[in-house]
Amino acid sequence: MTDDIRTAALESKAWPYEEARKLLKRYPNGKSGDPVLFETGYGPSGLPHIGTFNEVLRTTMVRNAFHALSDTPTRLIAFSDDMDGLRKVPDNVPNGDMLREHLGKPLTQIPDPFGTHSSFAAHNNAILREFLDRYGFDYEFASSTEYYTGGRFDEALKGVLRHFQGIQDVMLPTLRAERRATYSPVLPISPTSGIVLQVPIEVIDAEAGLIAFEDDGQRIEQSVLGGKAKLQWKVDWAMRWVALGVDYEMAGKDLIDSVTQSSKIARVLGGRPPEGFNYEMFLDENGEKISKSKGNGLSLEQWLTYGPEESLAFYAYREPKKAKSLHMGVIPRAVDEYWQFRGNYAGQDLKQQLGNPVHHIHDGKLPTGELPVTFGLLLNLVGVMGDASKEQVWGYLANYVPDASTEKYPELDRLIGYALAYSRDFVAPTLKRRAPEGVEVAALEQLDAELAALPAEASAEDIQNIVYEIGKTGGFENLRDWFKALYETLLGSEQGPRMGSFIALYGVENSRKLIAEALAR
């Protein structure tokens, strides 16, 4: 790490550096030889969604920013709460009736409704890990079940029993009266039904890890060690921070109160809560919070069907403390804005580069390559082409891009694939070209005549100037009305590209055919 980057990072207002400086303040002299530990949490009660991936991505960005500030080594644990009891059946998985028979049991003890893995948790964990691996995250996967049953948390569980009343003093004032009557920080696993029990417990011997509770009318004395019990999740969170020595974990805004309570419990247990911040939630197109059980919003696979990984990372990076809609309509803009920032990066000074989203997406190691057309323009092109192939799209690109080839522009080749898929599934069904009206007819006729008179070497800028002049002199109240008419009559949409660029890309003769078709309606 160069001194210049470290100096600039110490002053950068980019949020990953602001977060990383919290850790620098926490450990100004390093962490006594141990790595600084970052953690993310995942509840595998439903299929992973982009919000899950987003947390790992943002945490990784903070981790990378910390590396710019300090030579202290770090680790990242992606922790799965797969010992939680299944509270309800998700809406977006098969075999719901089978799952209902296992409500209350730990997720690792419930059969996989998809029939591909040893348990429901194993299936969902595998999907998460596959995606994190695909993206190239440097992380260690941790299973709550493995840590509990393997004894990793045994000493910490004894600590919970030792400080049982102190934990109750933190939690009980936050609960409603009826909940206080039955609340217990420790949830024993029923020896008969295998269900995670929500029952009051009595601490018999904290040093031996022994508790007593009632199960189906019988008093049971049972150890909490070796996976025979788990903790209520706020207590579990705090215990984990202390047992593992977690230094940084972020959480959604909806968990602010939970972070507060878990932090108090961590202190009761003799530990120090981690640093972190609360990000705003992703919302679906109806403005509702994305939910694993509902399956609303976008899945990881859906985004990556219509846009590349870096566009998703770009969308996650921007304004983490602002609520953002997450639906199919945001993908094209995210793709184009990513490339806009990437194109600006080389010409920026170091301070600007450290504030550029692409710096954090690629940890300062930007790939080479450029994009000669925007993703939005590609979508408009394939929209008017109809059922096209990659090869046909490349043929049109030759009108606009010198030496257009997959070898010279491999990332453009990828984007053509995304554009074809997005246009096929979301654009084409909505396209509806209307007939021109009033002054629009004469304006289109004039555009056709001027395009016919253009020399072969006319540029996109030349064409744009023609379009612009017709809009100013063609009787329109404002230029916006002219451009809207072009989009609706020629492309079949309410919005569209810079028309000079589109006509140059689609070809003058092909564009004249679109005009002729519009005038014939």
Side-chain angles (χ1 to χ4, degrees):
M1 186 63 60
T2 68
D3 291 341
D4 287 346
I5 292 178
R6 183 155 291 180
T7 300
L10 284 167
E11 300 175 353
S12 176
K13 290 183 169 59
W15 68 262
Y17 289 119
E18 291 181 338
E19 290 302 299
R21 287 196 289 270
K22 294 179 183 177
L23 289 166
L24 201 63
K25 186 176 180 180
R26 183 182 179 101
Y27 295 118
N29 301 312
K31 193 186 173 183
S32 303
D34 292 327
V36 169
L37 185 61
F38 293 78
E39 182 182 60
T40 63
Y42 165 58
S45 58
L47 302 177
H49 55 66
I50 287 178
T52 313
F53 161 75
N54 156 73
E55 191 168 305
V56 181
L57 175 75
R58 287 175 171 165
T59 302
T60 296
M61 288 176 175
V62 177
R63 184 186 182 195
N64 291 338
F66 180 73
H67 291 159
L69 301 175
S70 172
D71 296 323
T72 303
T74 65
R75 296 170 57 209
L76 169 60
I77 291 179
F79 198 94
S80 173
D81 290 305
D82 56 17
M83 200 167 164
D84 287 355
L86 181 66
R87 294 190 298 273
K88 60 180 180 178
V89 177
D91 298 335
N92 58 341
V93 299
N95 294 314
D97 290 341
M98 179 274 289
L99 288 177
R100 260 180 283 278
E101 296 176 6
H102 296 277
L103 285 174
K105 293 181 182 178
L107 295 163
T108 43
Q109 300 302 312
I110 297 174
D112 177 17
F114 296 89
T116 57
H117 291 75
S118 59
S119 69
F120 188 30
H123 176 273
N124 294 339
N125 286 341
I127 292 176
L128 177 69
R129 295 178 70 174
E130 180 182 351
F131 186 82
L132 299 183
D133 291 342
R134 171 179 175 176
Y135 196 82
F137 286 116
D138 174 24
Y139 72 100
E140 303 164 35
F141 180 79
S143 159
S144 177
T145 299
E146 292 178 5
Y147 276 41
Y148 270 103
T149 59
R152 185 79 175 268
F153 287 151
D154 279 0
E155 283 305 312
L157 288 169
K158 293 177 186 178
V160 169
L161 296 186
R162 292 187 201 107
H163 296 92
F164 190 84
Q165 189 55 50
I167 293 171
Q168 290 286 66
D169 290 344
V170 170
M171 288 304 304
L172 293 183
T174 70
L175 305 174
R176 296 188 303 273
E178 63 271 21
R179 182 82 171 106
R180 284 200 298 270
T182 59
Y183 178 84
S184 168
V186 180
L187 306 177
I189 309 295
S190 169
T192 53
S193 68
I195 288 174
V196 181
L197 299 175
Q198 301 266 355
V199 294
I201 66 126
E202 174 189 347
V203 178
I204 302 296
D205 186 338
E207 298 309 315
L210 192 64
I211 62 170
F213 57 93
E214 188 173 295
D215 181 15
D216 199 21
Q218 287 189 312
R219 176 181 167 86
I220 305 289
E221 291 191 8
Q222 181 172 293
S223 173
V224 300
L225 309 180
K228 294 182 179 178
K230 73 172 301 293
L231 301 179
Q232 288 277 9
W233 87 269
K234 292 177 187 176
V235 185
D236 183 276
W237 208 8
M239 178 276 294
R240 196 162 75 220
W241 289 343
V242 175
L244 303 180
V246 176
D247 296 305
Y248 190 90
E249 181 162 7
M250 60 177 64
K253 187 178 179 180
D254 58 335
L255 297 181
I256 288 177
D257 289 342
S258 300
V259 171
T260 299
Q261 302 308 319
S262 294
S263 296
K264 290 178 181 178
I265 294 169
R267 294 186 183 98
V268 168
L269 294 173
R272 183 181 182 184
E275 310 298 327
F277 84 117
N278 296 103
Y279 53 82
E280 262 289 3
M281 309 308 293
F282 280 146
L283 308 175
D284 66 14
E285 57 190 333
N286 297 317
E288 296 181 359
K289 176 188 167 185
I290 288 175
S291 163
K292 290 192 297 289
S293 60
K294 287 183 181 178
N296 58 337
L298 292 183
S299 70
L300 307 173
E301 294 79 7
Q302 284 174 315
W303 186 297
L304 295 181
T305 299
Y306 306 108
E309 289 94 336
E310 56 268 23
S311 64
L312 172 55
F314 177 87
Y315 193 73
Y317 173 87
R318 301 295 301 278
E319 302 177 302
K321 294 196 174 185
K322 179 181 178 182
K324 291 187 291 188
S325 295
L326 187 61
H327 53 81
M328 289 298 175
V330 307
I331 296 176
R333 183 175 178 183
V335 174
D336 278 336
E337 288 189 343
Y338 162 80
W339 274 98
Q340 181 183 349
F341 278 90
R342 180 165 151 180
N344 294 339
Y345 187 82
Q348 294 176 325
D349 61 31
L350 181 58
K351 180 180 178 181
Q352 291 172 318
Q353 287 182 337
L354 296 192
N356 189 321
V358 299
H359 179 84
H360 300 277
I361 292 167
H362 299 290
D363 193 21
K365 308 174 190 69
L366 269 69
T368 58
E370 58 180 320
L371 194 66
V373 297
T374 65
F375 189 61
L377 191 56
L378 275 179
L379 285 175
N380 287 120
L381 173 63
V382 299
V384 297
M385 289 177 67
D387 189 14
S389 66
K390 259 192 180 185
E391 291 72 24
Q392 289 171 317
V393 176
W394 273 110
Y396 280 97
L397 286 168
N399 297 327
Y400 187 73
V401 182
D403 304 321
S405 68
T406 57
E407 292 75 24
K408 187 172 181 180
Y409 298 109
E411 291 186 273
L412 176 57
D413 189 59
R414 287 176 64 213
L415 284 185
I416 292 172
Y418 292 124
L420 288 169
Y422 191 92
S423 180
R424 178 192 66 232
D425 294 342
F426 300 105
V427 178
T430 67
L431 294 180
K432 187 176 182 181
R433 297 182 181 92
R434 67 168 176 83
E437 303 168 348
V439 296
E440 297 169 354
V441 174
L444 284 173
E445 289 173 343
Q446 184 182 350
L447 177 58
D448 179 63
E450 297 212 29
L451 289 179
L454 273 176
E457 67 275 9
S459 67
E461 196 62 35
D462 295 332
I463 300 171
Q464 183 67 20
N465 289 336
I466 291 172
V467 174
Y468 188 78
E469 286 301 318
I470 293 173
K472 286 201 301 183
T473 61
F476 294 94
E477 288 189 16
N478 54 61
L479 278 170
R480 188 183 303 110
D481 290 342
W482 168 227
F483 291 123
K484 189 169 185 286
L486 287 170
Y487 301 148
E488 292 179 350
T489 61
L490 302 185
L491 305 182
S493 61
E494 294 182 355
Q495 298 177 327
R498 183 180 168 89
M499 286 305 296
S501 299
F502 173 78
I503 292 171
L505 174 58
Y506 194 50
V508 169
E509 290 308 312
N510 287 322
S511 299
R512 290 188 65 204
K513 289 178 184 176
L514 285 180
I515 295 172
E517 290 169 2
L519 292 171
R521 287 191 192 101

